Amino acid sequence: TKVQELSNDTHTIELFNATGKFLTGYNAISIRVKDKVSNAYVENASLTWNPVMQMSPTMSHSCPKSAIAKASGKTTVYDGFIIYQMANLDGSGWTLTVNYAINGVDYSVSNTIMVKQAENQNVTSFMGSDSKKYIIALLEPKTPKIAINKLKVGLFKMETMMSFPVVENYTITLDPRMPGMGNHSSPNNTNLTYKAEDNMYHGDLSLTMTGYWVLNLKLLNAENEVLKGEDVTTENLQSTLYLELEF
């Protein structure tokens, strides 16, 4: 579904995703570049993008984002993702700039975009005990079910206000709980480990019934030092590092 178009004098950049709107968290985005004169879609563009959130007149930041690559099996569609870690209540504040080259000629287009708050916490940014700022985002399951679900999250470090590289080879422990059902957990969960094939963290998430789940997490560095999060106990019902899921 088309989310928005960005236009300059020569091209229209069309942005698509599954829902037709941008929400906080992980957004898989497809792009097409349309030539305004011929109305044809461009097959050979090289694209980069830079989403920026204007926090105040003097302060702005970007967010985790992928490179943009030609979609598999497509001639005029390009794919990537952006992880918006926050949003204003009215959806304002974000601008998206797309820089691209076609046949050696450079172009740029920029416009405001609307990013609304997702219902559940599917992304969280936090300071680790190492005094570094991290972002964790939920990618999968997109459609949770009563079963062992493949859990996938992205982990990024805020290197600067504009740079959010992937963090490799850490561990994210997982303890899912249902707060509305006595805070019970579930069997056969596995902790999340890094996979270099997609630069993401993968684990197994066991969901035994429908409803609202809190995915309690702990982030451990390569030396197994806890950077954020706590164990869930009878006294401590929730980790300070968590994501939410409801189905």
Side-chain angles (χ1 to χ4, degrees), residues 3-245:
V3 183
Q4 191 173 335
E5 294 182 348
L6 311 176
S7 253
N8 56 22
D9 292 340
T10 48
H11 300 98
T12 301
I13 308 291
E14 300 177 344
L15 306 171
F16 300 83
N17 71 3
T19 62
K21 54 191 173 185
F22 291 142
L23 296 172
T24 50
Y26 173 81
N27 292 256
I29 303 168
S30 296
I31 303 170
R32 290 196 300 186
V33 182
K34 190 176 187 180
D35 187 289
K36 282 187 168 180
V37 174
S38 67
N39 275 334
Y41 288 102
V42 177
E43 295 185 17
N44 59 345
S46 172
L47 301 105
T48 61
W49 50 14
N50 190 34
V52 173
M53 173 74 163
Q54 198 69 41
M55 298 287 293
S56 70
T58 56
M59 190 178 134
S60 60
H61 63 77
S62 186
C63 60
K65 61 186 185 294
S66 70
I68 302 171
K70 181 70 72 74
S72 176
K74 305 287 186 182
T75 56
T76 63
V77 181
Y78 306 83
D79 283 342
F81 70 78
I82 296 174
I83 295 172
Y84 305 109
Q85 71 271 56
M86 62 183 300
N88 288 328
L89 285 175
D90 63 356
S92 68
W94 284 95
T95 300
L96 182 61
T97 300
V98 178
N99 298 308
Y100 58 105
I102 300 169
N103 298 328
V105 181
D106 291 331
Y107 303 91
S108 186
V109 60
S110 186
N111 208 342
T112 56
I113 54 173
M114 185 169 286
V115 180
K116 294 303 261 288
Q117 189 73 41
E119 280 186 38
N120 291 315
Q121 181 163 292
N122 57 10
V123 63
T124 182
S125 57
F126 58 92
M127 189 72 74
S129 60
D130 56 359
S131 299
K132 294 173 182 172
K133 194 165 187 182
Y134 295 91
I135 293 174
I136 281 182
L138 178 66
L139 278 66
E140 292 176 8
K142 293 185 183 70
T143 52
K145 55 187 184 292
I146 299 174
I148 304 287
N149 295 259
K150 291 300 176 188
L151 181 63
K152 180 158 73 166
V153 307
L155 175 63
F156 307 87
K157 181 168 66 179
M158 187 176 185
E159 203 170 51
T160 68
M161 297 294 271
M162 294 295 157
S163 175
F164 295 79
V166 168
V167 178
E168 300 179 7
N169 300 320
Y170 281 22
T171 301
I172 304 168
T173 69
L174 170 67
D175 186 356
R177 301 278 178 149
M178 289 196 87
M181 301 290 291
N183 217 38
H184 72 70
S185 188
S186 58
N188 303 315
N189 296 286
T190 64
N191 294 332
L192 294 125
T193 53
Y194 177 76
K195 285 193 178 176
E197 303 91 85
D198 62 358
N199 298 320
M200 297 296 172
Y201 286 75
H202 296 256
D204 291 329
L205 168 64
S206 173
L207 300 174
T208 51
M209 60 189 297
T210 59
Y212 169 71
W213 289 81
V214 173
L215 311 185
N216 295 284
L217 308 173
K218 287 192 303 178
L219 178 63
L220 284 68
N221 65 14
E223 288 73 45
N224 278 329
E225 298 164 333
V226 178
L227 303 183
K228 180 72 173 176
E230 304 80 28
D231 289 327
V232 177
T233 64
T234 49
E235 292 78 30
N236 183 57
L237 297 180
Q238 188 169 314
S239 173
T240 55
L241 181 60
Y242 68 94
L243 297 166
E244 296 175 322
L245 207 71

